[in-house]
Amino acid sequence: MRRLAVLVLAAIALFVMMPAGPRQLPAPPAGLVPGLRGVIHVHTNRSDGTGSVDDVMRAAASAGLKFVIVTDHGDATRAPDLPDYRGGVLYIDASEISTGNGHVVALGLPKAPYPLAGEGRDVVDDIHRLGGLAIAAHPGSAKPELQWTDWNAPLDGLEWLNADSEWRDERAWTLARVLLTYPFRPPQALALMLDRPDTVIGRWNELARQRRVVGLAAVDAHARVGVRSLGEPYDTAGSLHFPSYVNSFREFSIDLSNARLTGDANADARTVIDAIRDGAFYSAIDALAGPAALRVDATGEDRAHLRVEAQAPGDATITLFRDGAAVASAQGGVLERDASSEPGVYRVEVTLPGSPGTPPVPWLMSNPIYVKRAPEPASPQSGAGEPGRSAARTFMTLYDGGPARGWVIEKSPEPNAAMDVIGALPGSQLLLRFAISGTAADSPYAAFVMPAGAAIVMYDRLVFTARADRPMRLSVQLRASSGGEGERWHRSVYLDQTPRTIDVAFSDFRPIGTTTSALPVLSRVDAILFVIDSVNTKIGSNGQIQIDDIRYGR
Ligand SMILES: [Zn+2]
Ligand SMILES: [Zn+2]
């Protein structure tokens, strides 16, 4: 009798905790068809996921997706798999790169010529040089080391929603509710952890006013959860295959509204990546209601007449935002707005009553629409690493051919390094040769060190010309030896076979480790170092740099 009472109570408790099932919407009217649905940010067993690429693609087919963008952790030196149809679903291979400022998802990259790593701004710069898109991963993670911290880097997008961030800020009660109801309504149980991430969306609004920055809902699926440190996919003590790929894929997705696939995997992968680059998609929490369809048209003179149409239940609310502030809303499926006297960056959110989260997660999220205001085109980082001229007008020469007086080589035990003066037209220049060997744990490096001189305090930048025998990154460092171990600040620059004028402003240098000042203290700097290290140079590789015309400028 007591056992029956316990069972009845448990059943009632489960009933109370059970999330609502997905709301089934009727087929949308013509002109408002669901587009091409897929997911981005999936890990396989090549990094910290549990399934193979084929497992992932099978799950995607079961979830009714048309494409999957796999983003295993790496430094982009693994040649990506070619786009491929598997079980009718387009497989696009991409990567998630760890930087000193958080993780960035890189789409559309070829195999990188050297490991992409280091500061966020440099990795974004490299991704752009290689023709890819840089998307800040889980920028609002509750785990500080997973947050994105360089908002000046010219990102192409950010994950406005990331399932791995979402569970981290939940209370134990919600997590218990998710676990207990997951066996019955898996996608809906997972959606209980979602919120509207206001801080990340606020950041997105700010960035979108400066340039085109797209926002994606990213599943960050590993099909794995650690048992010891609850939830950590990296927990090596043991893990559960939870949530499954297919249930993650049924929770939410992105919908490329107008993209059409042809069956040619290469061309179709380009179509998908271009649609993401252009922001021609929206995010949909499919666990709440579906099949969703959303169309935002900007028509008329100046494309200032906005018309939003959604396949939405009657109690849905469409909200139109301008530069981050709500300016109009409507119940049901249509909202119209004449924005001709209100230039700005517009965005649409569609919400459903009773959605999970505080504040509730939007059911549909559009991308920015620019009305009478063009975003500035995404530009590469100014200054460092680009061929060009110096911004300075006054110079003091430090080296211009001939013997390198006062220079020394410093290195860790394993690597080799040598310095020669070679003939050049006109005059001569320095040839720096290096071979980086050792183990990653030793952080091998080779450094070419020149005296800084007292005059550095009168200048605000270092200018030199350089080329390398292959694409690489060189770390330019300022060192203040006084006070024990000394302090260093650095700026990483890109080099390849094309000779370029490198102009690095001292205000662009960043500390290495702990320093007493965020910016270099020029009065104490006594050495300039040109460093090749294992951050961006593969251990076991060698190369050479020709360097000349080293100057201070202001
Ligand atoms: Zn990550
Ligand atoms: Zn990830």
Side-chain angles (χ1 to χ4, degrees), residues 41 43 73 96 103 137-138 146 220:
H41 200 150
H43 295 276
H73 297 281
E96 181 175 10
H103 294 179
H138 42 72
L146 292 183
D220 208 349

Side-chain angles (χ1 to χ4, degrees), residues 451-475:
I456 187 173
V457 295
M458 286 149 58
Y459 296 88
D460 64 8
R461 60 194 57 240
L462 181 72
V463 184
F464 56 95
T465 57
R467 60 189 282 193
D469 61 341
R470 70 184 67 179
M472 65 172 290
R473 274 195 169 273
L474 174 69
S475 169

Side-chain angles (χ1 to χ4, degrees), residues 375-428:
E376 286 166 27
S379 57
Q381 296 276 150
S382 60
E386 295 307 315
R389 293 182 182 286
S390 167
R393 274 179 295 173
T394 305
F395 296 97
M396 187 191 114
T397 297
L398 298 170
Y399 175 86
D400 188 17
R405 270 182 221 97
W407 286 55
V408 292
I409 290 173
E410 295 176 13
K411 62 185 192 62
S412 51
E414 297 279 344
N416 286 313
M419 201 159 44
D420 301 296
V421 179
I422 56 166
L425 283 176
S428 61

Side-chain angles (χ1 to χ4, degrees), residues 41 43 48 71 73 96-98 102-105 137-138 146 159 162 164 220 222 234:
H41 200 150
H43 295 276
D48 55 349
T71 57
H73 297 281
E96 181 175 10
I97 301 170
S98 300
H103 294 179
V104 62
V105 164
H138 42 72
L146 292 183
E159 295 176 348
N162 176 292
D164 185 66
D220 208 349
H222 301 79
Y234 278 111

